[in-house]
């Protein structure tokens, strides 16, 4: 399971074949089973093959992280508020203002059950398994962002692909600098929750 040939096949199946397959119409139950099986495989490889330790106790650069994340969030907020106001003004902060309980529930479930698994797969697993295969660091980061974007291809929305590609670059950079699944998950959750809050949730598959 550690040979280059095996990893290349694994890479192709997990990051290309499975996400692209979700574009096609077939049983949602089967899609869920495929996704769950793939994720269990990822966890097995991380824990048993790569011997990764999910360590949350070590010291982390919290001050620098919050400063950078806050600045990035302000920039994102500026452009997204304008975008929603210009394209769909009736959606601006709609769910937060009209359905606060749903808003809170979505933020919680999204952060815990969507963001964290995504970061385990696209950051911890990807970085651990393929950093020695893709030697060029810049190319490595770009590929990671592209694959993260492909994971959202089933939305069939060009703007979603662009946003997730940019988000993938941000998250990959944070993970590269901090090597922390905790920090990158918090960052991912903050930006994703903001997009839902500002009124872009329907585009990203959030119930409204």
């Amino acid at each position: 399971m550690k040979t280059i040939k095996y990893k290349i096949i694994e890479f192709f199946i997990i990051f290309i074949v499975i996400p692209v397959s979700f574009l096609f119409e077939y049983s949602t139950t089967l899609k869920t089973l495929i996704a769950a099986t793939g994720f269990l495989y990822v966890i097995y490889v991380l824990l048993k093959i790569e011997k990764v330790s999910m360590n949350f106790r070590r010291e982390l650069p919290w001050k620098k992280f919050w400063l950078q994340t806050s600045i990035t969030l302000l920039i994102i907020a500026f452009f997204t508020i304008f975008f929603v106001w210009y394209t769909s003004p009736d959606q601006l902060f709609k769910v937060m203002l009209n359905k606060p309980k749903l808003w809170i529930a979505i933020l919680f479930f999204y952060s815990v059950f969507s963001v964290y698994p995504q970061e385990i797969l696209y950051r911890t697993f990807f970085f651990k398994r393929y950093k020695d295969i893709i030697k060029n660091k810049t190319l490595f980061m770009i590929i990671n962002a592209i694959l993260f974007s492909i994971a959202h291809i089933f939305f069939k929305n060009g703007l979603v692909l662009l946003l997730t590609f940019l988000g993938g670059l941000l998250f990959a950079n944070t993970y590269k600098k901090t090597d922390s699944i905790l920090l990158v998950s918090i960052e991912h959750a903050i930006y994703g929750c903001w997009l839902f809050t500002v009124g872009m949730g329907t585009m990203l598959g959030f119930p409204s």
Side-chain angles (χ1 to χ4, degrees), residues 16-133:
I16 304 293
V17 174
I18 293 178
V20 171
S21 76
F22 292 159
L23 273 172
F24 301 97
E25 296 294 332
Y26 61 95
S27 169
T28 301
T29 301
L30 181 56
K31 288 182 179 181
T32 303
L33 181 61
I34 291 172
T37 302
F39 188 69
L40 288 175
Y41 169 83
V42 165
I43 295 298
Y44 173 80
V45 171
L46 284 175
L47 296 180
K48 299 298 184 180
I49 307 301
E50 299 296 340
K51 309 295 182 182
V52 171
S53 174
M54 303 296 182
N55 183 9
F56 293 106
R57 296 182 181 180
R58 61 191 179 85
E59 291 187 8
L60 296 171
W62 287 105
K63 290 184 178 180
K64 185 176 181 179
F65 169 77
W66 285 118
L67 177 61
Q68 293 180 343
T69 303
S70 297
I71 293 172
T72 304
L73 181 60
L74 286 174
I75 295 171
I76 292 172
F78 174 80
F79 285 105
T80 52
I81 288 174
F82 176 78
F83 175 80
V84 176
W85 171 80
Y86 185 76
T87 60
S88 305
D90 59 308
Q91 295 296 316
L92 192 62
F93 299 111
K94 178 181 178 180
V95 178
M96 182 183 71
L97 296 175
N98 297 304
K99 299 178 181 179
K101 291 183 180 179
L102 174 63
W103 176 67
I104 293 172
I106 291 298
L107 297 192
F108 173 77
F109 281 98
Y110 167 73
S111 300
V112 176
F113 298 107
S114 178
V115 168
Y116 188 62
Q118 286 182 57
E119 290 306 321
I120 288 177
L121 173 59
Y122 283 91
R123 253 55 70 177
T124 304
F125 181 80
F126 185 88
F127 274 65
K128 185 65 177 178
R129 291 290 276 175
Y130 309 119
K131 66 181 180 181
D132 293 332
I133 297 177

Side-chain angles (χ1 to χ4, degrees), residues 179-201:
D179 192 32
S180 171
I181 187 67
L182 177 60
L183 291 186
V184 75
S185 294
I186 291 173
E187 181 184 35
H188 186 165
I190 288 172
Y191 302 153
C193 287
W194 168 258
L195 294 180
F196 170 63
T197 300
V198 77
M200 298 175 70

